[in-house]
Amino acid sequence: MTRACALAAGLSAALAGCSTDGGNNPLASRSTTVEYYRVFDIRTDAPAQSVTKAATDGINRNVKDAVVATPPGVEATDLPGHFKIADPTGVPAGSPVARGPSCDGAAWTAKATPRVRGTEDMNLVACLFPYKSGYHLDMVAVFTKPEGGIMHWPRRLGSVFLGTPEKFTESTMMDVVRAIREGTGANVSLVEARPNLAGTPWMEPGTNTAQGNSGGAASLAGAAGAPAQPGNAAGTVKASSVPQ
């Protein structure tokens, strides 16, 4: 009995030690919203068809079920466009509210809701806006990430071997930029990024970290062997500004 009590006391102490992470209890179930936002300036004289084809090739490297569109009659503007967030207050009662940002004025759009390990509802949008000097590529990804609970440690262990949703998001966005640069010889520069993006990872060869299966789901099975990209820190955790 004494030995059993000692073992129980030791196990309780070990669990207590494992359950603290910066003052938070990881065994308490919760979820956080993570947002990635990237804007790139793309300077190129390549034909529009070449640019949009390269962008499609780039998104298809990781996401097999993206809905891609190239609206006709889009003209280049003096200044680059920017996606807009839908305003639910301006929608008539009973009408559906647009999910995610609007790409009005874009020459190419890609929207997807890939099923990625470690997330519940990833929403990915990319817009390519033509202007007189080239294009602006706006990309945003928002997802809810479950944390804590009885699956806390299994999820952590799985992320070591299968990768994280943050790595999938970063790799997907960088592959779109890489494909455009490689396919058109464009001069690419970063305009804005949240969270911060260090270095120039779009200049480096990429490794596909996800392949769509027959159902169009994204898997992170290959992420463990992929090289980590600079600036691949975890996304900022905050209330999402993009409708889910």
Side-chain angles (χ1 to χ4, degrees):
M1 179 66 72
T2 301
R3 182 176 297 178
C5 291
L7 179 60
L11 181 59
S12 297
L15 288 174
C18 291
S19 65
T20 57
D21 185 7
N24 296 321
N25 181 5
L27 298 182
S29 297
R30 61 192 182 278
S31 62
T32 56
T33 297
V34 181
E35 179 177 333
Y36 272 74
Y37 174 64
R38 303 280 186 258
V39 177
F40 287 90
D41 183 52
I42 299 172
R43 302 293 181 96
T44 180
D45 294 327
Q49 294 84 351
S50 299
V51 179
T52 57
K53 181 182 182 302
T56 298
D57 292 343
I59 196 72
N60 286 340
R61 291 180 184 180
N62 295 279
V63 181
K64 301 303 182 185
D65 59 352
V67 178
V68 176
T70 53
V74 175
E75 298 182 358
T77 55
D78 290 337
L79 297 176
H82 186 64
F83 60 54
K84 301 176 178 61
I85 305 301
D87 181 8
T89 61
V91 177
S95 300
V97 178
R99 180 181 175 86
S102 168
C103 295
D104 292 343
W108 173 90
T109 66
K111 299 182 180 182
T113 55
R115 297 191 297 275
V116 179
R117 290 181 185 271
T119 73
E120 296 177 346
D121 54 358
M122 179 175 286
N123 186 29
L124 176 67
V125 178
C127 315
L128 194 60
F129 295 98
Y131 76 111
K132 63 180 181 180
S133 299
Y135 298 84
H136 263 202
L137 176 63
D138 291 20
M139 295 181 287
V140 65
V142 181
F143 56 88
T144 301
K145 189 165 74 167
E147 297 180 338
I150 61 175
M151 294 301 295
H152 176 74
W153 298 111
R155 276 194 297 264
R156 281 198 171 187
L157 181 61
S159 67
V160 173
F161 296 99
L162 303 177
T164 64
E166 288 86 354
K167 178 170 287 188
F168 170 83
T169 301
E170 193 71 87
S171 297
T172 299
M173 290 182 170
M174 290 303 100
D175 273 344
V176 177
V177 183
R178 288 189 188 103
I180 295 175
R181 186 183 67 83
E182 294 167 358
T184 67
N187 182 15
V188 179
S189 59
L190 179 65
V191 176
E192 187 176 356
R194 294 197 307 266
N196 183 49
L197 179 62
T200 56
W202 61 89
M203 300 290 291
E204 303 168 5
T207 300
N208 290 352
T209 58
Q211 296 293 334
N213 60 21
S214 59
S219 168
L220 292 177
Q229 297 293 348
N232 203 25
T236 49
V237 177
K238 60 181 180 178
S240 170
S241 61
V242 179
Q244 294 298 303

